[in-house]
Amino acid sequence: MDFVGAYAPAHLKFLLEGFVVTLEVAFLSIFFSFLIGIVIGVLRYSRIPFLSPVLAVGVETIRNLPLLLIIFFTYFALPEVGFKLDKFYAAILALVIFESAMLSEIVRSGLNSIEKGQIEAARSSGLTYTQTLWHIVLPQALRRMVPPIVGQFISLLKDTSLAVVIALPELMNHAQIINGQNVNYVIPIFLLVAVMYFVVNYSLSLVSRKLEHKHI
């Protein structure tokens, strides 16, 4: 093991560049999948005729597919029907599709956890269904959803490493390039990569615990 050579300034800079791409992909995927997940979860909770069952089929289908397959689909299959995306956006699209399905189920479960009595009381006080959902049900449900949602965000950040299969220049891709220069770099580089993932994911876990404790 060559820790000195592995942690040369040029290698560290190269890893940080890859980590920036990882964080960019993760942030954009979290942002869009969270918004889409909330919309799909609310629509499924509302049990709209025809629409809710169709969404349910779509969500269950995606949840039972490997994320790697979805990445292959967005990068290799979409160009066959005229939609060519570069590696960065293909990875984001795959993650958004997959994580939206996961988050929508968390949202739907959170909404279903709210006591029916509160909903009936709000409706009897004159609030419409939309007002009840927006002012009574969703705020309480979101507080209960914080831990599983943050947990899903952590999984998403780790899942960005799967984009190495399409050679996205993210952290794992850059780590493999460095490792290819010298077999003695493998353990030092992977240890450093593990620390980088751990720091970010553990920080998210701490935020989740703090939010849960304060019931925000």
Side-chain angles (χ1 to χ4, degrees), residues 115-193:
E115 295 74 13
K116 299 299 181 183
Q118 295 190 47
I119 300 174
E120 293 170 357
R123 295 301 303 276
S124 64
S125 68
L127 294 179
T128 64
Y129 176 80
T130 302
Q131 290 173 328
T132 301
L133 185 63
W134 184 256
H135 296 290
I136 306 298
V137 179
L138 196 55
Q140 295 184 71
L142 283 173
R143 288 197 294 271
R144 299 181 183 184
M145 287 183 245
V146 167
I149 285 178
V150 174
Q152 196 60 43
F153 289 166
I154 291 172
S155 295
L156 188 155
L157 180 60
K158 292 184 289 187
D159 286 343
T160 58
S161 62
L162 292 175
V164 70
V165 298
I166 58 173
L168 178 72
E170 45 77 59
L171 181 58
M172 285 301 298
N173 175 265
H174 282 200
Q176 287 187 334
I177 291 173
I178 295 172
N179 290 337
Q181 298 175 10
N182 189 327
V183 69
N184 292 320
Y185 293 167
V186 173
I187 292 179
I189 289 297
F190 280 151
L191 283 175
L192 180 57
V193 168

Side-chain angles (χ1 to χ4, degrees), residues 14-185:
F14 192 57
L15 284 177
L16 286 174
E17 290 172 353
F19 198 41
V20 168
V21 173
T22 292
L23 295 178
E24 288 175 345
V25 170
F27 175 78
L28 291 172
S29 299
I30 286 171
F31 178 76
F32 289 111
S33 62
F34 180 65
L35 295 180
I36 296 172
I38 287 181
V39 172
I40 295 175
V42 169
L43 290 175
R44 289 192 63 194
Y45 170 79
S46 300
R47 298 179 182 176
I48 301 172
F50 181 73
L51 180 59
S52 293
V54 170
L55 289 174
V57 171
V59 167
E60 291 305 317
T61 299
I62 292 171
R63 290 178 67 219
N64 288 284
L65 293 177
L67 175 55
L68 191 59
L69 177 62
I70 299 175
I71 292 174
F72 280 145
F73 179 82
T74 58
Y75 188 66
F76 294 112
L78 285 183
E80 298 297 319
V81 292
F83 296 98
K84 182 173 177 59
L85 299 173
D86 67 21
K87 299 167 185 176
F88 185 81
Y89 293 108
I92 290 175
L93 178 59
L95 286 166
V96 168
I97 291 172
F98 186 76
E99 297 299 334
S100 293
M102 297 298 185
L103 289 169
S104 72
E105 190 61 21
I106 293 174
V107 171
R108 188 180 70 86
S109 298
L111 293 172
N112 281 328
S113 72
I114 303 302
E115 295 74 13
K116 299 299 181 183
Q118 295 190 47
I119 300 174
E120 293 170 357
R123 295 301 303 276
S124 64
S125 68
L127 294 179
T128 64
Y129 176 80
T130 302
Q131 290 173 328
T132 301
L133 185 63
W134 184 256
H135 296 290
I136 306 298
V137 179
L138 196 55
Q140 295 184 71
L142 283 173
R143 288 197 294 271
R144 299 181 183 184
M145 287 183 245
V146 167
I149 285 178
V150 174
Q152 196 60 43
F153 289 166
I154 291 172
S155 295
L156 188 155
L157 180 60
K158 292 184 289 187
D159 286 343
T160 58
S161 62
L162 292 175
V164 70
V165 298
I166 58 173
L168 178 72
E170 45 77 59
L171 181 58
M172 285 301 298
N173 175 265
H174 282 200
Q176 287 187 334
I177 291 173
I178 295 172
N179 290 337
Q181 298 175 10
N182 189 327
V183 69
N184 292 320
Y185 293 167

Side-chain angles (χ1 to χ4, degrees), residues 19 23 154 157 195-205:
F19 198 41
L23 295 178
I154 291 172
L157 180 60
V195 169
M196 295 169 78
Y197 276 117
F198 174 79
V199 168
V200 176
N201 288 329
Y202 187 66
S203 298
L204 287 174
S205 298

